Amino acid sequence: MNDKYYDATKILSLKDIRGERPEIYAITSNRTAGKTTWFSRWIVKKYLERRINKFALIYRFNYELNDVAEKFFKDIKELFFHNHEMTAKIMAGQTYANLYLDDEHCGYALCLNGSDKIKTMSHLFSDVDVMFFDEFQSESDHYCPREITKFQSVHKSVARGRGQQTRYVPVIMCSNPVTLLNPYYAEWGVSDKLQDNTKFFRGDGFIIEHNINENAAKSVELSGFERAFKNSSYSKYNAESVYLNDNYAFIEKMSGKGRYMCTIKYDGGYYGVIAYFDQNIVYVTNKGDQNFPSTYAVSVTDHAANTMLAKSGDYIISILRDWFKMGCVRFKNLQAKSAFIKLVSY
């Protein structure tokens, strides 16, 4: 492929933090960089060369399986596979689809929301050697309920068989950089570890690549439509590979003596709210006191015996909301900021 487009040769050659072969490769870059095209071509090429048996495409919702063959294959057919055709047949009430290349069964499209059904049919997918999950970060935060659990379940269902309890089945995950707080980064514990200049991050079993394609960025600059919206966060996300939904404003370190006000329980984590009255600042840290009497659960899911379910009109929440409006709240990191904003949102 042309050098001006994305090339995954580097990331596929890297080892994880233990020096072992990763099983998850997560790649983010600015739009139109070519990462989806590169991996789609790579998967089909490996299949045609019989270097893999079959592949599985991952989608979230049942309706995404409609026209799946055209969605996946149309662009790469026009670029690389002129003499080939891909078709699909939806199975098991839109739980998955069988994929056919030139009428030969080449793989599957699997639906995360159908993880329970896929578990009961796991023997069908024992011939899968690689999985591809495009758009693993949602621009609209539209994820499956309990998505991480369903993602794990689907992979476990696929990675069984061939006389092994667990096979090595790598997952390629691609997306544009939407938010460091996406559920995958949060689960891997990297949301507050990735920096602006991080290119490759080696985790335990996974590698993350954050790529900025300069040619793609320049093509955006040449677009009259994009120039008209050049100051919008979405255009910066398209061109500069900045995280669309993240805002580092008010993320600082605090020092001095403060008074502990309350604890926020959000998405299973505990966050402490501390008032620095001498500085007229409320500070939210990611280390909250789980046993503090005033512990607010942001959602019903977080609610437990030792928490109070947060309500928009609660006195303390109203005060914190007013402090935030006045610009008097600071945060340890993005997770603390997200928890606080969820708490004070109407």
Side-chain angles (χ1 to χ4, degrees), residues 250-285:
F250 305 122
I251 293 180
E252 301 175 6
K253 290 184 178 180
M254 294 292 295
S255 60
K257 188 175 181 180
R259 177 183 170 187
Y260 201 93
M261 295 179 63
C262 65
T263 298
I264 303 170
K265 186 181 179 186
Y266 171 61
D267 202 20
Y270 291 87
Y271 302 86
V273 180
I274 304 168
Y276 290 84
F277 292 111
D278 58 333
Q279 302 178 56
N280 202 34
I281 291 293
V282 167
Y283 184 58
V284 186
T285 177

Side-chain angles (χ1 to χ4, degrees), residues 71 83-85 91 127 133 150 238 257 277 302 310 339:
K71 285 188 290 190
N83 300 321
H84 298 277
E85 297 290 339
M91 309 293 291
D127 49 3
F133 186 9
K150 292 177 179 179
N238 283 341
K257 188 175 181 180
F277 292 111
D302 290 310

